[in-house]
Amino acid sequence: MILLIMSIVLSSYLTLSFKMLGRLNIPALQAIVVNYFTCVITGSLVNGSFPISHASTAQPWFRWAILMGIFFIILFNIIAFTAQNIGVAVASVANKLSLVIPFLFSIYWYDEKLSVLKVAGIVLALTAVLLTCWPHKDIQGSSIKSANGLLLLVPLVLFVGSGLLDTMVKYVEQGFLNDANNDAYFITAFAVAGVTGTITLLVQLARGKQQFDRRAIPAGILIGIPNYFSLWSLVKVLAANKGNSSAIFPVINIGIVLFSTLIAFFLFREKLSRLNWAGIGVAVVAIYLMTIG
């Protein structure tokens, strides 16, 4: 239970932190890059040493770590953009209702139980994503004033990408990881994300599209430590509940959606349309059905 709550709170913190970056005008990409190198250092301290070696490249999980690292840097930037320009609630729902994808994967690949209630939950979850992400003219703090159709695509891309990432976490955890190589795998993924982000950032700095902001260093550190432990706790929860991930993902993700939305409402005074609120309500019902189904 402690690890479950830990995963919910820390994952919510990540989305909320991107909103704060926007409020403070700290370049998101710079903070994200620092965040991933902070994850590498944090993981190494937890592990007791830097676990990546030449032998790691021959491990079956290594290519998955590279792919996950690339996913990390892309999705973190999409989450930051969504939280800053559309809203924390939208970013949270689009990100976490992507549980539909690993949910279906667990049913299909691991032969987990499928019921009528779970199917109904999937349909409602997809409806909830559309309603919650539907843009409106009163999006507070948005820098996007037109092209609502294109704006809608951003959380949908986040929805699909996050779902694929969670599926990858489940697949690799089930097929390749154990207590001996967990840290090496995730630290490798974080390192790949950091290097990929650094290359992208250097190109932007060289082309004058960004200017270095020293505030990104402490901001990235404050994001990176919770980021590492959010993934660490998720893997621990999945490992402790093998054969039941189709229920674990809904429980964690609805907690993240509700916690993030409430904090954003009270802390950032985010405004949501009636459709957006309806989507959040439908999300609660959808994940409840998938949990009890």
Side-chain angles (χ1 to χ4, degrees):
M1 181 62 70
I2 294 177
L3 288 175
L4 189 68
I5 296 174
M6 180 177 173
S7 179
I8 291 172
V9 173
L10 293 180
S11 296
S12 301
Y13 169 85
L14 296 179
T15 304
L16 294 166
S17 66
F18 289 130
K19 183 73 173 184
M20 186 59 71
L21 289 180
R23 288 288 180 91
L24 298 175
N25 293 316
I26 298 175
L29 178 58
Q30 296 180 29
I32 289 171
V33 169
V34 175
N35 141 77
Y36 280 120
F37 286 116
T38 301
C39 287
V40 172
I41 295 172
T42 303
S44 298
L45 291 174
V46 171
N47 183 68
S49 63
F50 186 67
I52 305 173
S53 64
H54 178 71
S56 300
T57 60
Q59 299 300 314
W61 52 260
F62 187 76
R63 65 182 184 275
W64 290 104
I66 294 176
L67 182 59
M68 183 172 287
I70 295 173
F71 259 77
F72 277 157
I73 193 67
I74 293 174
L75 285 177
F76 250 49
N77 278 283
I78 295 176
I79 293 171
F81 177 86
T82 306
Q84 292 174 7
N85 294 282
I86 305 177
V88 170
V90 176
S92 178
V93 172
N95 186 18
K96 293 308 172 185
L97 274 186
S98 60
L99 65 91
V100 171
I101 297 175
F103 176 88
L104 291 174
F105 176 78
S106 295
I107 296 294
Y108 173 77
W109 195 259
Y110 298 113
D111 294 323
E112 294 187 8
K113 181 182 176 182
L114 179 63
S115 66
V116 174
L117 289 178
K118 285 187 176 181
V119 172
I122 292 172
V123 175
L124 286 179
L126 293 172
T127 303
V129 170
L130 184 61
L131 290 175
T132 308
C133 297
W134 196 267
H136 60 97
K137 63 181 180 179
D138 296 322
I139 295 175
Q140 185 172 337
S142 175
S143 61
I144 302 174
K145 303 301 181 184
S146 61
N148 279 350
L150 292 177
L151 183 61
L152 182 60
L153 291 177
V154 177
L156 290 179
V157 170
L158 177 58
F159 172 81
V160 175
S162 296
L164 292 176
L165 179 60
D166 284 343
T167 300
M168 193 186 311
V169 170
K170 171 62 181 175
Y171 177 74
V172 175
E173 181 273 327
Q174 188 86 1
F176 301 100
L177 300 186
N178 52 55
D179 290 339
N181 61 18
N182 260 334
D183 290 324
Y185 173 78
F186 288 114
I187 292 173
T188 300
F190 288 134
V192 169
V195 171
T196 304
T198 299
I199 294 172
T200 304
L201 178 59
L202 289 175
V203 170
Q204 293 193 8
L205 290 172
R207 298 176 63 180
K209 291 188 175 182
Q210 287 203 42
Q211 291 186 338
F212 177 71
D213 189 332
R214 66 180 63 184
R215 296 177 301 162
I217 296 177
I221 293 173
L222 290 175
I223 294 173
I225 296 174
N227 186 21
Y228 174 82
F229 284 108
S230 69
L231 188 58
W232 178 86
S233 57
L234 172 61
V235 172
K236 294 293 184 181
V237 171
L238 288 174
N241 293 273
K242 289 186 182 296
N244 197 33
S245 59
S246 60
I248 294 301
F249 276 112
V251 171
I252 290 178
N253 289 338
I254 192 56
I256 294 171
V257 169
L258 295 179
F259 187 76
S260 299
T261 301
L262 290 175
I263 294 299
F265 180 77
F266 289 109
L267 186 61
F268 298 118
R269 297 294 188 267
E270 283 199 352
K271 293 181 180 179
L272 298 173
S273 69
R274 290 181 179 179
L275 273 180
N276 297 151
W277 279 114
I280 293 172
V282 173
V284 175
V285 176
I287 297 180
Y288 174 73
L289 290 178
M290 285 187 284
T291 302
I292 67 173

